PDB file of all heavy atoms in Angstrom:
ATOM      1  N   ASN A   1      53.040 105.224  30.342  1.00  0.00           N
ATOM      2  CA  ASN A   1      53.157 103.795  30.569  1.00  0.00           C
ATOM      3  C   ASN A   1      52.999 103.401  32.016  1.00  0.00           C
ATOM      4  O   ASN A   1      53.161 102.242  32.379  1.00  0.00           O
ATOM      5  CB  ASN A   1      54.574 103.317  30.082  1.00  0.00           C
ATOM      6  CG  ASN A   1      54.722 103.441  28.593  1.00  0.00           C
ATOM      7  OD1 ASN A   1      53.795 103.248  27.839  1.00  0.00           O
ATOM      8  ND2 ASN A   1      55.942 103.802  28.162  1.00  0.00           N
ATOM      9  N   ASN A   2      52.675 104.358  32.871  1.00  0.00           N
ATOM     10  CA  ASN A   2      52.513 104.106  34.297  1.00  0.00           C
ATOM     11  C   ASN A   2      51.009 103.931  34.640  1.00  0.00           C
ATOM     12  O   ASN A   2      50.152 104.509  34.024  1.00  0.00           O
ATOM     13  CB  ASN A   2      53.081 105.269  35.070  1.00  0.00           C
ATOM     14  CG  ASN A   2      54.566 105.464  34.855  1.00  0.00           C
ATOM     15  OD1 ASN A   2      55.382 104.730  35.318  1.00  0.00           O
ATOM     16  ND2 ASN A   2      54.900 106.493  34.059  1.00  0.00           N
ATOM     17  N   HIS A   3      50.822 103.124  35.669  1.00  0.00           N
ATOM     18  CA  HIS A   3      49.462 102.817  36.084  1.00  0.00           C
ATOM     19  C   HIS A   3      49.347 102.912  37.605  1.00  0.00           C
ATOM     20  O   HIS A   3      50.184 102.332  38.340  1.00  0.00           O
ATOM     21  CB  HIS A   3      49.097 101.395  35.610  1.00  0.00           C
ATOM     22  CG  HIS A   3      47.619 101.155  35.615  1.00  0.00           C
ATOM     23  ND1 HIS A   3      46.724 101.947  34.955  1.00  0.00           N
ATOM     24  CD2 HIS A   3      46.893 100.149  36.153  1.00  0.00           C
ATOM     25  CE1 HIS A   3      45.491 101.478  35.107  1.00  0.00           C
ATOM     26  NE2 HIS A   3      45.561 100.362  35.838  1.00  0.00           N
ATOM     27  N   ILE A   4      48.362 103.656  38.069  1.00  0.00           N
ATOM     28  CA  ILE A   4      48.089 103.796  39.507  1.00  0.00           C
ATOM     29  C   ILE A   4      46.709 103.228  39.798  1.00  0.00           C
ATOM     30  O   ILE A   4      45.718 103.599  39.154  1.00  0.00           O
ATOM     31  CB  ILE A   4      48.202 105.225  39.957  1.00  0.00           C
ATOM     32  CG1 ILE A   4      49.625 105.735  39.788  1.00  0.00           C
ATOM     33  CG2 ILE A   4      47.776 105.423  41.415  1.00  0.00           C
ATOM     34  CD1 ILE A   4      49.813 107.216  40.051  1.00  0.00           C
ATOM     35  N   ILE A   5      46.636 102.338  40.792  1.00  0.00           N
ATOM     36  CA  ILE A   5      45.372 101.776  41.197  1.00  0.00           C
ATOM     37  C   ILE A   5      45.138 102.098  42.639  1.00  0.00           C
ATOM     38  O   ILE A   5      45.953 101.801  43.498  1.00  0.00           O
ATOM     39  CB  ILE A   5      45.371 100.215  41.001  1.00  0.00           C
ATOM     40  CG1 ILE A   5      45.661  99.858  39.546  1.00  0.00           C
ATOM     41  CG2 ILE A   5      44.028  99.634  41.461  1.00  0.00           C
ATOM     42  CD1 ILE A   5      45.877  98.354  39.352  1.00  0.00           C
ATOM     43  N   HIS A   6      43.996 102.718  42.920  1.00  0.00           N
ATOM     44  CA  HIS A   6      43.604 103.006  44.311  1.00  0.00           C
ATOM     45  C   HIS A   6      42.382 102.148  44.610  1.00  0.00           C
ATOM     46  O   HIS A   6      41.293 102.399  44.097  1.00  0.00           O
ATOM     47  CB  HIS A   6      43.199 104.487  44.448  1.00  0.00           C
ATOM     48  CG  HIS A   6      44.385 105.415  44.448  1.00  0.00           C
ATOM     49  ND1 HIS A   6      44.271 106.779  44.402  1.00  0.00           N
ATOM     50  CD2 HIS A   6      45.726 105.161  44.531  1.00  0.00           C
ATOM     51  CE1 HIS A   6      45.465 107.322  44.401  1.00  0.00           C
ATOM     52  NE2 HIS A   6      46.378 106.350  44.482  1.00  0.00           N
ATOM     53  N   VAL A   7      42.583 101.118  45.404  1.00  0.00           N
ATOM     54  CA  VAL A   7      41.444 100.270  45.763  1.00  0.00           C
ATOM     55  C   VAL A   7      40.737 100.837  47.008  1.00  0.00           C
ATOM     56  O   VAL A   7      41.359 101.527  47.813  1.00  0.00           O
ATOM     57  CB  VAL A   7      41.877  98.829  46.032  1.00  0.00           C
ATOM     58  CG1 VAL A   7      42.568  98.243  44.807  1.00  0.00           C
ATOM     59  CG2 VAL A   7      42.826  98.717  47.246  1.00  0.00           C
ATOM     60  N   GLY A   8      39.455 100.559  47.116  1.00  0.00           N
ATOM     61  CA  GLY A   8      38.659 101.101  48.210  1.00  0.00           C
ATOM     62  C   GLY A   8      38.560 100.130  49.380  1.00  0.00           C
ATOM     63  O   GLY A   8      38.473  98.927  49.211  1.00  0.00           O
ATOM     64  N   ILE A   9      38.603 100.694  50.578  1.00  0.00           N
ATOM     65  CA  ILE A   9      38.502  99.889  51.783  1.00  0.00           C
ATOM     66  C   ILE A   9      37.643 100.613  52.799  1.00  0.00           C
ATOM     67  O   ILE A   9      37.438 101.860  52.685  1.00  0.00           O
ATOM     68  CB  ILE A   9      39.900  99.637  52.377  1.00  0.00           C
ATOM     69  CG1 ILE A   9      39.952  98.355  53.214  1.00  0.00           C
ATOM     70  CG2 ILE A   9      40.410 100.828  53.151  1.00  0.00           C
ATOM     71  CD1 ILE A   9      41.359  97.874  53.537  1.00  0.00           C
ATOM     72  N   SER A  10      37.066  99.906  53.754  1.00  0.00           N
ATOM     73  CA  SER A  10      36.192 100.533  54.728  1.00  0.00           C
ATOM     74  C   SER A  10      37.049 101.357  55.737  1.00  0.00           C
ATOM     75  O   SER A  10      38.240 101.111  55.904  1.00  0.00           O
ATOM     76  CB  SER A  10      35.403  99.489  55.485  1.00  0.00           C
ATOM     77  OG  SER A  10      36.226  98.656  56.258  1.00  0.00           O
ATOM     78  N   GLU A  11      36.422 102.303  56.369  1.00  0.00           N
ATOM     79  CA  GLU A  11      37.100 103.179  57.290  1.00  0.00           C
ATOM     80  C   GLU A  11      37.756 102.423  58.443  1.00  0.00           C
ATOM     81  O   GLU A  11      38.868 102.783  58.919  1.00  0.00           O
ATOM     82  CB  GLU A  11      36.139 104.253  57.841  1.00  0.00           C
ATOM     83  CG  GLU A  11      36.807 105.310  58.679  1.00  0.00           C
ATOM     84  CD  GLU A  11      35.854 106.447  59.026  1.00  0.00           C
ATOM     85  OE1 GLU A  11      34.726 106.462  58.495  1.00  0.00           O
ATOM     86  OE2 GLU A  11      36.280 107.336  59.821  1.00  0.00           O
ATOM     87  N   LYS A  12      37.125 101.362  58.931  1.00  0.00           N
ATOM     88  CA  LYS A  12      37.650 100.602  60.072  1.00  0.00           C
ATOM     89  C   LYS A  12      38.935  99.812  59.697  1.00  0.00           C
ATOM     90  O   LYS A  12      39.670  99.416  60.599  1.00  0.00           O
ATOM     91  CB  LYS A  12      36.608  99.655  60.648  1.00  0.00           C
ATOM     92  CG  LYS A  12      36.206  98.542  59.704  1.00  0.00           C
ATOM     93  CD  LYS A  12      35.155  97.664  60.386  1.00  0.00           C
ATOM     94  CE  LYS A  12      34.696  96.542  59.466  1.00  0.00           C
ATOM     95  NZ  LYS A  12      33.645  95.697  60.110  1.00  0.00           N
ATOM     96  N   LEU A  13      39.178  99.618  58.389  1.00  0.00           N
ATOM     97  CA  LEU A  13      40.365  98.911  57.985  1.00  0.00           C
ATOM     98  C   LEU A  13      41.429  99.859  57.449  1.00  0.00           C
ATOM     99  O   LEU A  13      42.454  99.424  56.901  1.00  0.00           O
ATOM    100  CB  LEU A  13      40.005  97.884  56.894  1.00  0.00           C
ATOM    101  CG  LEU A  13      39.040  96.776  57.310  1.00  0.00           C
ATOM    102  CD1 LEU A  13      38.775  95.812  56.159  1.00  0.00           C
ATOM    103  CD2 LEU A  13      39.536  96.037  58.538  1.00  0.00           C
ATOM    104  N   TYR A  14      41.197 101.144  57.641  1.00  0.00           N
ATOM    105  CA  TYR A  14      42.153 102.165  57.201  1.00  0.00           C
ATOM    106  C   TYR A  14      43.171 102.406  58.340  1.00  0.00           C
ATOM    107  O   TYR A  14      42.974 103.277  59.196  1.00  0.00           O
ATOM    108  CB  TYR A  14      41.390 103.430  56.824  1.00  0.00           C
ATOM    109  CG  TYR A  14      42.235 104.575  56.369  1.00  0.00           C
ATOM    110  CD1 TYR A  14      42.804 104.597  55.093  1.00  0.00           C
ATOM    111  CD2 TYR A  14      42.440 105.693  57.188  1.00  0.00           C
ATOM    112  CE1 TYR A  14      43.557 105.680  54.688  1.00  0.00           C
ATOM    113  CE2 TYR A  14      43.196 106.781  56.760  1.00  0.00           C
ATOM    114  CZ  TYR A  14      43.751 106.753  55.514  1.00  0.00           C
ATOM    115  OH  TYR A  14      44.508 107.831  55.077  1.00  0.00           O
ATOM    116  N   PHE A  15      44.206 101.600  58.382  1.00  0.00           N
ATOM    117  CA  PHE A  15      45.214 101.720  59.451  1.00  0.00           C
ATOM    118  C   PHE A  15      46.465 100.978  58.979  1.00  0.00           C
ATOM    119  O   PHE A  15      46.504 100.396  57.880  1.00  0.00           O
ATOM    120  CB  PHE A  15      44.690 101.114  60.751  1.00  0.00           C
ATOM    121  CG  PHE A  15      44.458  99.622  60.678  1.00  0.00           C
ATOM    122  CD1 PHE A  15      45.476  98.741  60.990  1.00  0.00           C
ATOM    123  CD2 PHE A  15      43.240  99.110  60.302  1.00  0.00           C
ATOM    124  CE1 PHE A  15      45.272  97.357  60.914  1.00  0.00           C
ATOM    125  CE2 PHE A  15      43.000  97.759  60.223  1.00  0.00           C
ATOM    126  CZ  PHE A  15      44.040  96.859  60.521  1.00  0.00           C
ATOM    127  N   GLY A  16      47.478 101.006  59.837  1.00  0.00           N
ATOM    128  CA  GLY A  16      48.696 100.230  59.558  1.00  0.00           C
ATOM    129  C   GLY A  16      49.652 100.841  58.570  1.00  0.00           C
ATOM    130  O   GLY A  16      50.295 100.105  57.780  1.00  0.00           O
ATOM    131  N   PHE A  17      49.787 102.150  58.568  1.00  0.00           N
ATOM    132  CA  PHE A  17      50.724 102.812  57.650  1.00  0.00           C
ATOM    133  C   PHE A  17      51.425 103.955  58.352  1.00  0.00           C
ATOM    134  O   PHE A  17      51.005 104.414  59.404  1.00  0.00           O
ATOM    135  CB  PHE A  17      50.010 103.323  56.395  1.00  0.00           C
ATOM    136  CG  PHE A  17      48.821 104.227  56.706  1.00  0.00           C
ATOM    137  CD1 PHE A  17      49.028 105.597  56.865  1.00  0.00           C
ATOM    138  CD2 PHE A  17      47.554 103.714  56.869  1.00  0.00           C
ATOM    139  CE1 PHE A  17      47.940 106.449  57.151  1.00  0.00           C
ATOM    140  CE2 PHE A  17      46.476 104.565  57.159  1.00  0.00           C
ATOM    141  CZ  PHE A  17      46.675 105.911  57.321  1.00  0.00           C
ATOM    142  N   LYS A  18      52.522 104.410  57.763  1.00  0.00           N
ATOM    143  CA  LYS A  18      53.263 105.569  58.299  1.00  0.00           C
ATOM    144  C   LYS A  18      53.721 106.425  57.176  1.00  0.00           C
ATOM    145  O   LYS A  18      53.789 106.007  56.024  1.00  0.00           O
ATOM    146  CB  LYS A  18      54.447 105.056  59.143  1.00  0.00           C
ATOM    147  CG  LYS A  18      55.370 104.103  58.390  1.00  0.00           C
ATOM    148  CD  LYS A  18      56.398 103.493  59.316  1.00  0.00           C
ATOM    149  CE  LYS A  18      57.258 102.458  58.629  1.00  0.00           C
ATOM    150  NZ  LYS A  18      58.251 101.822  59.516  1.00  0.00           N
ATOM    151  N   LYS A  19      54.033 107.672  57.491  1.00  0.00           N
ATOM    152  CA  LYS A  19      54.469 108.593  56.455  1.00  0.00           C
ATOM    153  C   LYS A  19      55.981 108.619  56.353  1.00  0.00           C
ATOM    154  O   LYS A  19      56.656 108.858  57.375  1.00  0.00           O
ATOM    155  CB  LYS A  19      53.932 110.004  56.724  1.00  0.00           C
ATOM    156  CG  LYS A  19      54.270 111.026  55.649  1.00  0.00           C
ATOM    157  CD  LYS A  19      53.464 112.336  55.785  1.00  0.00           C
ATOM    158  CE  LYS A  19      52.047 112.138  55.275  1.00  0.00           C
ATOM    159  NZ  LYS A  19      51.313 113.441  55.190  1.00  0.00           N
ATOM    160  N   ILE A  20      56.495 108.393  55.176  1.00  0.00           N
ATOM    161  CA  ILE A  20      57.929 108.411  54.905  1.00  0.00           C
ATOM    162  C   ILE A  20      58.166 109.304  53.700  1.00  0.00           C
ATOM    163  O   ILE A  20      57.680 109.014  52.600  1.00  0.00           O
ATOM    164  CB  ILE A  20      58.456 106.991  54.625  1.00  0.00           C
ATOM    165  CG1 ILE A  20      58.155 106.056  55.808  1.00  0.00           C
ATOM    166  CG2 ILE A  20      59.963 107.037  54.345  1.00  0.00           C
ATOM    167  CD1 ILE A  20      58.522 104.605  55.539  1.00  0.00           C
ATOM    168  N   ASN A  21      58.928 110.373  53.890  1.00  0.00           N
ATOM    169  CA  ASN A  21      59.234 111.305  52.801  1.00  0.00           C
ATOM    170  C   ASN A  21      57.961 111.786  52.068  1.00  0.00           C
ATOM    171  O   ASN A  21      57.885 111.658  50.831  1.00  0.00           O
ATOM    172  CB  ASN A  21      60.236 110.695  51.830  1.00  0.00           C
ATOM    173  CG  ASN A  21      61.576 110.393  52.450  1.00  0.00           C
ATOM    174  OD1 ASN A  21      62.030 111.151  53.320  1.00  0.00           O
ATOM    175  ND2 ASN A  21      62.212 109.355  52.023  1.00  0.00           N
ATOM    176  N   LYS A  22      56.995 112.209  52.809  1.00  0.00           N
ATOM    177  CA  LYS A  22      55.750 112.783  52.305  1.00  0.00           C
ATOM    178  C   LYS A  22      54.775 111.729  51.736  1.00  0.00           C
ATOM    179  O   LYS A  22      53.746 112.097  51.198  1.00  0.00           O
ATOM    180  CB  LYS A  22      56.016 113.826  51.207  1.00  0.00           C
ATOM    181  CG  LYS A  22      56.889 114.982  51.618  1.00  0.00           C
ATOM    182  CD  LYS A  22      57.144 115.916  50.435  1.00  0.00           C
ATOM    183  CE  LYS A  22      58.100 117.064  50.802  1.00  0.00           C
ATOM    184  NZ  LYS A  22      58.340 117.958  49.639  1.00  0.00           N
ATOM    185  N   ILE A  23      55.126 110.455  51.871  1.00  0.00           N
ATOM    186  CA  ILE A  23      54.302 109.409  51.272  1.00  0.00           C
ATOM    187  C   ILE A  23      53.816 108.465  52.351  1.00  0.00           C
ATOM    188  O   ILE A  23      54.615 107.978  53.174  1.00  0.00           O
ATOM    189  CB  ILE A  23      55.066 108.611  50.231  1.00  0.00           C
ATOM    190  CG1 ILE A  23      55.649 109.539  49.144  1.00  0.00           C
ATOM    191  CG2 ILE A  23      54.199 107.537  49.566  1.00  0.00           C
ATOM    192  CD1 ILE A  23      56.681 108.911  48.243  1.00  0.00           C
ATOM    193  N   GLN A  24      52.518 108.195  52.404  1.00  0.00           N
ATOM    194  CA  GLN A  24      51.991 107.243  53.351  1.00  0.00           C
ATOM    195  C   GLN A  24      52.159 105.830  52.819  1.00  0.00           C
ATOM    196  O   GLN A  24      51.693 105.515  51.733  1.00  0.00           O
ATOM    197  CB  GLN A  24      50.488 107.514  53.626  1.00  0.00           C
ATOM    198  CG  GLN A  24      50.273 108.872  54.305  1.00  0.00           C
ATOM    199  CD  GLN A  24      48.832 109.097  54.740  1.00  0.00           C
ATOM    200  OE1 GLN A  24      48.598 109.872  55.680  1.00  0.00           O
ATOM    201  NE2 GLN A  24      47.882 108.463  54.088  1.00  0.00           N
ATOM    202  N   ILE A  25      52.863 104.993  53.610  1.00  0.00           N
ATOM    203  CA  ILE A  25      53.228 103.656  53.173  1.00  0.00           C
ATOM    204  C   ILE A  25      52.838 102.633  54.263  1.00  0.00           C
ATOM    205  O   ILE A  25      53.122 102.844  55.435  1.00  0.00           O
ATOM    206  CB  ILE A  25      54.723 103.537  52.898  1.00  0.00           C
ATOM    207  CG1 ILE A  25      55.115 104.536  51.788  1.00  0.00           C
ATOM    208  CG2 ILE A  25      55.135 102.140  52.491  1.00  0.00           C
ATOM    209  CD1 ILE A  25      56.604 104.614  51.476  1.00  0.00           C
ATOM    210  N   ALA A  26      52.204 101.564  53.837  1.00  0.00           N
ATOM    211  CA  ALA A  26      51.794 100.518  54.777  1.00  0.00           C
ATOM    212  C   ALA A  26      53.037  99.859  55.389  1.00  0.00           C
ATOM    213  O   ALA A  26      54.055  99.686  54.721  1.00  0.00           O
ATOM    214  CB  ALA A  26      50.929  99.470  54.083  1.00  0.00           C
ATOM    215  N   VAL A  27      52.935  99.457  56.653  1.00  0.00           N
ATOM    216  CA  VAL A  27      53.965  98.584  57.207  1.00  0.00           C
ATOM    217  C   VAL A  27      53.791  97.222  56.523  1.00  0.00           C
ATOM    218  O   VAL A  27      52.711  96.897  55.985  1.00  0.00           O
ATOM    219  CB  VAL A  27      53.829  98.454  58.725  1.00  0.00           C
ATOM    220  CG1 VAL A  27      53.971  99.799  59.406  1.00  0.00           C
ATOM    221  CG2 VAL A  27      52.471  97.843  59.144  1.00  0.00           C
ATOM    222  N   LYS A  28      54.842  96.417  56.495  1.00  0.00           N
ATOM    223  CA  LYS A  28      54.784  95.196  55.702  1.00  0.00           C
ATOM    224  C   LYS A  28      53.695  94.234  56.156  1.00  0.00           C
ATOM    225  O   LYS A  28      53.124  93.546  55.334  1.00  0.00           O
ATOM    226  CB  LYS A  28      56.169  94.515  55.707  1.00  0.00           C
ATOM    227  CG  LYS A  28      56.691  94.105  57.067  1.00  0.00           C
ATOM    228  CD  LYS A  28      58.099  93.511  56.913  1.00  0.00           C
ATOM    229  CE  LYS A  28      58.695  93.017  58.212  1.00  0.00           C
ATOM    230  NZ  LYS A  28      58.918  94.109  59.181  1.00  0.00           N
ATOM    231  N   GLU A  29      53.385  94.234  57.449  1.00  0.00           N
ATOM    232  CA  GLU A  29      52.308  93.343  57.931  1.00  0.00           C
ATOM    233  C   GLU A  29      50.963  93.771  57.408  1.00  0.00           C
ATOM    234  O   GLU A  29      50.135  92.919  57.070  1.00  0.00           O
ATOM    235  CB  GLU A  29      52.315  93.314  59.479  1.00  0.00           C
ATOM    236  CG  GLU A  29      53.509  92.616  60.110  1.00  0.00           C
ATOM    237  CD  GLU A  29      54.789  93.413  60.086  1.00  0.00           C
ATOM    238  OE1 GLU A  29      54.732  94.668  59.862  1.00  0.00           O
ATOM    239  OE2 GLU A  29      55.887  92.842  60.253  1.00  0.00           O
ATOM    240  N   LYS A  30      50.698  95.075  57.332  1.00  0.00           N
ATOM    241  CA  LYS A  30      49.418  95.542  56.789  1.00  0.00           C
ATOM    242  C   LYS A  30      49.377  95.318  55.277  1.00  0.00           C
ATOM    243  O   LYS A  30      48.309  94.983  54.696  1.00  0.00           O
ATOM    244  CB  LYS A  30      49.212  97.014  57.100  1.00  0.00           C
ATOM    245  CG  LYS A  30      47.832  97.553  56.681  1.00  0.00           C
ATOM    246  CD  LYS A  30      46.701  96.741  57.278  1.00  0.00           C
ATOM    247  CE  LYS A  30      45.348  97.460  57.206  1.00  0.00           C
ATOM    248  NZ  LYS A  30      44.887  97.794  55.904  1.00  0.00           N
ATOM    249  N   ALA A  31      50.508  95.479  54.600  1.00  0.00           N
ATOM    250  CA  ALA A  31      50.557  95.211  53.168  1.00  0.00           C
ATOM    251  C   ALA A  31      50.263  93.750  52.872  1.00  0.00           C
ATOM    252  O   ALA A  31      49.568  93.407  51.915  1.00  0.00           O
ATOM    253  CB  ALA A  31      51.938  95.591  52.603  1.00  0.00           C
ATOM    254  N   PHE A  32      50.751  92.891  53.757  1.00  0.00           N
ATOM    255  CA  PHE A  32      50.493  91.461  53.650  1.00  0.00           C
ATOM    256  C   PHE A  32      49.023  91.156  53.842  1.00  0.00           C
ATOM    257  O   PHE A  32      48.400  90.446  53.043  1.00  0.00           O
ATOM    258  CB  PHE A  32      51.319  90.709  54.676  1.00  0.00           C
ATOM    259  CG  PHE A  32      50.947  89.258  54.860  1.00  0.00           C
ATOM    260  CD1 PHE A  32      51.348  88.288  53.913  1.00  0.00           C
ATOM    261  CD2 PHE A  32      50.218  88.842  55.929  1.00  0.00           C
ATOM    262  CE1 PHE A  32      50.996  86.960  54.090  1.00  0.00           C
ATOM    263  CE2 PHE A  32      49.842  87.511  56.114  1.00  0.00           C
ATOM    264  CZ  PHE A  32      50.250  86.572  55.161  1.00  0.00           C
TER     265      PHE A  32
END
């Protein structure tokens, strides 16, 4: 019942995240 979506982005826009407990997570501003 779970769904994972990985959307594609260009290399120059691949930023704004940090690793927390083995998982890379966007900061809230980049998620916005």
